[in-house]
Amino acid sequence: MVQTALQVLSLALRDVLDVAFPLALLLAALFVALLLIGLLDRDRFRGVLGNLSANAAQIGRWALALLALGAGVLLLDIVRRSVDLQLSGQQHARYTNTADPNTSQTVQQAPTITYLNERTYTRTLTLPPALLRRVGEDGVQVLSPYLQDPSADNIVRLRDQFTRSGQDVVFTREATLQTQEYIVLDSSKVSTDLKFVDAAGGGRQSYYNAAFQGTYSFKNPLNTPATIRFAFPLPNGSGTLQGFSMTVNGQPYSAADLSEGSVWEGSVAAGAPVTIAVTYRHQGSRGWSYDLSQRREPVKSFDLTIRADQNAKFERYSLFPTSIERAAFGGPRRCTGSFRMPSPRRM
């Protein structure tokens, strides 16, 4: 600590000497000029000395003001160097007594809603006698390069049929697969509060504490009951995630495993609406963004509200907010983006 203080003081004094050296040269030049005036013109020299003695008090006050200004500049330089060394020590220290947030730019993706459906696909192959003999010797697996893999997880039923057509045999396979059909969200209302923490407050880098709230509404588009799956992915690039909760039509839902996000699956009556609310808190830095969808799909109604205690900057090619509100007297900023579309529209 003492060595650091001495180093800071020596660096500050070196800066002062860098400024004092040309000033001393200027004063020496003025002194030499006065001596030359005294040798060449004694009467003018006596007049200059008289003026200096008459204004000695005022000159002394200016000298004290300049001295105080120089001392203040020296003190500010010492404080600046001390703070820089302290922050540099925190940045490169192997151990620290403060929490260092593990954060990066956060991207929250929109959820996906699907319903389970069954589709039947038919594949027909004409088998010549030679290939038919191989099927008789080695089994139907000889045709596997041309058919759907029967061990796939989404296979529900398989039906094979052989019919003769002259010397050839016609092989027909009907495969019933379980597929996921996407459902368009009727409305998405998302809000995020960002509270920034300065690096000088104890951390090594600036970060923010975020509180996320999302409410999503959709309905069963079929005329029959359907099994619907709502998958909400966790934010990418976030730090500590806390207080994650999900409610389905007002009823709390707790997922057993959040490693792949929270997935709700349930039976929904024909045309019945479903409202799911998601809340959580996390840490992030460098930025926050909401990814509407990784697919080109219709968007009906989307509202996004971001509250931040710092001025917001928006990435290029992103959806710019429809309104920005700034509180008076330096209060928290509020950026609101609303996109209401009465009919489906491609984004």
Side-chain angles (χ1 to χ4, degrees), residues 284-327:
S285 65
R286 301 195 185 101
W288 186 92
S289 60
Y290 188 88
D291 189 1
L292 282 175
S293 178
Q294 295 183 348
R295 301 174 292 109
R296 298 182 64 86
E297 64 179 9
V299 176
K300 289 187 176 180
S301 176
F302 174 74
D303 296 337
L304 172 63
T305 301
I306 299 178
R307 303 178 186 88
D309 55 1
Q310 292 186 6
N311 289 325
K313 296 181 180 179
F314 305 96
E315 293 184 355
R316 298 181 61 185
Y317 313 115
S318 63
L319 289 176
F320 201 80
T322 54
S323 63
I324 301 177
E325 300 177 7
R326 290 181 174 87

Side-chain angles (χ1 to χ4, degrees), residues 5-214:
L6 293 176
Q7 181 182 1
V8 170
L9 183 59
S10 63
L11 292 175
L13 291 176
R14 184 182 302 174
D15 292 341
V16 172
L17 291 177
D18 292 339
V19 177
F21 182 73
L23 184 60
L25 291 178
L26 179 61
L27 293 176
L30 292 175
F31 182 74
V32 172
L34 287 176
L35 290 179
L36 290 177
I37 292 173
L39 293 175
L40 300 176
D41 192 348
R42 293 181 179 273
D43 294 335
R44 181 175 294 181
F45 181 72
R46 292 191 186 96
V48 172
L49 291 180
N51 290 330
L52 290 177
S53 60
N55 299 315
Q58 186 176 2
I59 295 175
R61 287 194 295 267
W62 278 106
L64 289 177
L66 292 176
L67 184 61
L69 180 61
V73 172
L74 177 61
L75 182 60
L76 287 177
D77 187 66
I78 293 175
V79 172
R80 180 184 65 82
R81 293 182 181 277
S82 300
V83 173
D84 290 343
L85 286 176
Q86 183 179 3
L87 293 179
S88 177
Q90 291 179 357
Q91 184 69 26
H92 300 92
R94 184 177 181 180
Y95 303 100
T96 178
N97 57 358
T98 57
D100 195 16
N102 182 17
T103 58
S104 60
Q105 184 171 358
T106 301
V107 178
Q108 174 61 66
Q109 296 180 353
T112 56
I113 305 96
T114 58
Y115 66 89
L116 300 182
N117 191 20
E118 291 185 358
R119 291 189 177 184
T120 300
Y121 299 89
T122 303
R123 186 70 181 271
T124 301
L125 298 176
T126 300
L127 308 179
L131 184 57
L132 184 61
R133 285 193 297 270
R134 288 191 56 193
V135 171
E137 295 173 359
D138 301 331
V140 184
Q141 61 268 18
V142 175
L143 306 178
S144 58
Y146 314 100
L147 301 174
Q148 180 75 26
D149 183 10
S151 62
D153 295 335
N154 59 342
I155 294 292
V156 178
R157 291 183 300 275
L158 280 178
R159 180 174 177 270
D160 296 336
Q161 183 179 2
F162 292 89
T163 57
R164 181 171 292 278
S165 176
Q167 294 184 351
D168 300 331
V169 173
V170 178
F171 173 78
T172 303
R173 166 167 287 184
E174 291 185 357
T176 302
L177 282 67
Q178 188 178 65
T179 61
Q180 295 187 19
E181 305 294 337
Y182 288 95
I183 299 176
V184 178
L185 281 166
D186 293 331
S187 66
S188 301
K189 295 182 179 180
V190 180
S191 65
T192 302
D193 293 341
L194 304 179
K195 304 294 184 182
F196 286 86
V197 180
D198 192 4
R204 294 187 184 179
Q205 60 180 354
S206 297
Y207 64 96
Y208 60 80
N209 294 313
F212 176 88
Q213 293 182 350

